[in-house]
Amino acid sequence: MPTLKSPAMRTVDVARRAGYSVQQVRNLERDGVLPPAARSAAGYRIYGELHVQSALAYRALAAGTGPVEAKRIVRAVHECPASEVLALLDAAHARLDRERTDLGLAKEAAAAISAELVDDVRPSDAMSVSELAAALGVRPSTLRHWDAEGLAVPDRVPPRETRRYSPAQTRDARIVHQLRSAGYRIDQLRTLMPSLRRGHRSEDIGAALAARDVSIAARSRALLDAAVALGTVLGAS
């Protein structure tokens, strides 16, 4: 494990060790991710191993939790008791665990939904907004939002242009619901849903969920990679 006893370093030295640019290192210090650097008599920054490990911890955490939460955690290392830092890390791991659980449920649901037959349906099989919202456990406004985004688009029945969801459209809504529960953003679904409607629905959903699985695994690994650097920084606190 790295120790904090190392020769004084320049900004460029920290940048090379951490894989950042010189300006990014200065920005991390400005944002409190790195503790304030000492200054030479000439006014140049003097860094040490603590700054390198803080930058490395932030880099790994940003990949695992996103930059905002990563900054919060590393700043807490410098400013808060260790118990608070560990609580933030526990929360980050718990979020990933929930994502894994939701993803597993989405895989099961998507497989079942995609296998459903929607041929030879009758007009009476269609559902209203309120009926489908109740079946999915979402608000009617959520379905209207998905309609506006082109994700699950119902028929419009005159004279009042009332929304009615056919079985195929209901299946679209159920798939959107499961993928949203698995963490997919609206912009991602705008790209995905047209290809699902054109065919190969099961294969495309499976590929999308598999990609989500890879993303979760990568973020989980990033949190693991951050542990060594965080342990070093915490040891100096």
Coordinates of all heavy atoms in Angstrom, one line a residue, residues 145 149 151 180 183-194:
H145 N -46.4 11.3 -20.3 CA -45.0 11.7 -20.6 C -44.3 10.7 -21.6 O -43.7 11.1 -22.5 CB -44.2 11.8 -19.3 CG -42.8 12.1 -19.5 ND1 -42.4 13.3 -20.2 CD2 -41.6 11.5 -19.1 CE1 -41.1 13.4 -20.2 NE2 -40.6 12.3 -19.5
E149 N -42.9 11.4 -25.4 CA -41.5 11.1 -25.8 C -41.5 10.0 -26.8 O -40.4 9.7 -27.3 CB -40.8 10.6 -24.5 CG -40.6 11.7 -23.5 CD -39.6 12.8 -23.9 OE1 -38.9 12.6 -24.9 OE2 -39.5 13.8 -23.2
L151 N -42.3 6.9 -26.6 CA -41.9 5.6 -26.0 C -43.0 4.5 -26.0 O -42.8 3.4 -26.4 CB -41.4 5.8 -24.6 CG -40.2 6.8 -24.4 CD1 -39.8 6.8 -23.0 CD2 -39.1 6.4 -25.3
R180 N -37.1 1.5 -17.3 CA -36.9 2.7 -16.4 C -36.6 2.2 -15.0 O -35.7 2.8 -14.3 CB -38.2 3.5 -16.4 CG -38.5 4.3 -17.6 CD -37.6 5.5 -17.8 NE -37.9 6.5 -16.8 CZ -37.1 7.5 -16.4 NH1 -35.8 7.5 -16.8 NH2 -37.5 8.4 -15.6
G183 N -33.0 1.5 -14.5 CA -32.1 2.6 -14.6 C -31.9 3.3 -15.9 O -31.1 4.2 -16.0
Y184 N -32.7 2.9 -16.9 CA -32.5 3.5 -18.2 C -33.2 4.9 -18.2 O -34.3 5.1 -17.7 CB -33.2 2.7 -19.3 CG -32.2 1.6 -19.8 CD1 -32.0 0.4 -19.1 CD2 -31.5 1.8 -21.0 CE1 -31.1 -0.5 -19.6 CE2 -30.6 0.9 -21.5 CZ -30.4 -0.3 -20.7 OH -29.5 -1.2 -21.2
R185 N -32.5 5.9 -18.9 CA -33.0 7.2 -19.0 C -33.9 7.3 -20.2 O -33.9 6.5 -21.1 CB -31.8 8.2 -19.1 CG -30.8 8.2 -18.0 CD -29.8 9.4 -18.1 NE -29.2 9.4 -19.5 CZ -28.1 8.7 -19.8 NH1 -27.5 8.0 -18.8 NH2 -27.6 8.8 -21.0
I186 N -34.7 8.4 -20.2 CA -35.7 8.6 -21.2 C -34.9 8.8 -22.6 O -35.4 8.2 -23.6 CB -36.5 9.9 -21.0 CG1 -37.4 9.7 -19.8 CG2 -37.3 10.3 -22.2 CD1 -38.5 8.7 -20.0
D187 N -33.8 9.5 -22.6 CA -33.1 9.7 -23.9 C -32.6 8.3 -24.4 O -32.5 8.1 -25.6 CB -32.0 10.7 -23.7 CG -30.9 10.3 -22.7 OD1 -31.3 9.6 -21.7 OD2 -29.8 10.7 -22.8
Q188 N -32.1 7.4 -23.5 CA -31.7 6.1 -24.0 C -32.9 5.3 -24.6 O -32.7 4.6 -25.6 CB -31.1 5.3 -22.8 CG -29.8 6.0 -22.3 CD -29.3 5.3 -21.0 OE1 -30.1 5.0 -20.1 NE2 -28.0 5.0 -21.0
L189 N -34.0 5.4 -23.9 CA -35.2 4.7 -24.4 C -35.7 5.2 -25.7 O -36.3 4.4 -26.5 CB -36.3 4.7 -23.3 CG -35.9 3.9 -22.1 CD1 -37.0 4.1 -21.0 CD2 -35.8 2.4 -22.4
R190 N -35.6 6.5 -26.0 CA -36.0 7.1 -27.2 C -35.2 6.4 -28.4 O -35.8 6.2 -29.5 CB -35.7 8.6 -27.3 CG -36.9 9.4 -26.6 CD -36.8 10.8 -27.1 NE -35.6 11.5 -26.8 CZ -35.3 12.2 -25.7 NH1 -36.3 12.4 -24.8 NH2 -34.2 12.7 -25.4
T191 N -34.0 6.0 -28.1 CA -33.2 5.4 -29.2 C -33.5 3.9 -29.3 O -33.5 3.3 -30.3 CB -31.7 5.5 -28.8 OG1 -31.3 6.9 -28.8 CG2 -30.8 4.8 -29.9
L192 N -33.8 3.3 -28.1 CA -34.0 1.8 -28.1 C -35.4 1.4 -28.6 O -35.5 0.4 -29.3 CB -33.8 1.4 -26.6 CG -34.0 -0.1 -26.3 CD1 -33.0 -1.0 -27.1 CD2 -33.9 -0.4 -24.8
M193 N -36.4 2.1 -28.2 CA -37.8 1.6 -28.4 C -38.1 1.4 -29.9 O -38.8 0.4 -30.2 CB -38.8 2.5 -27.7 CG -38.8 2.3 -26.2 SD -39.0 0.6 -25.6 CE -40.7 0.3 -26.2
P194 N -37.7 2.3 -30.8 CA -38.1 2.1 -32.2 C -37.6 0.8 -32.7 O -38.3 0.1 -33.5 CB -37.5 3.3 -32.9 CG -37.4 4.3 -31.9 CD -37.1 3.6 -30.6

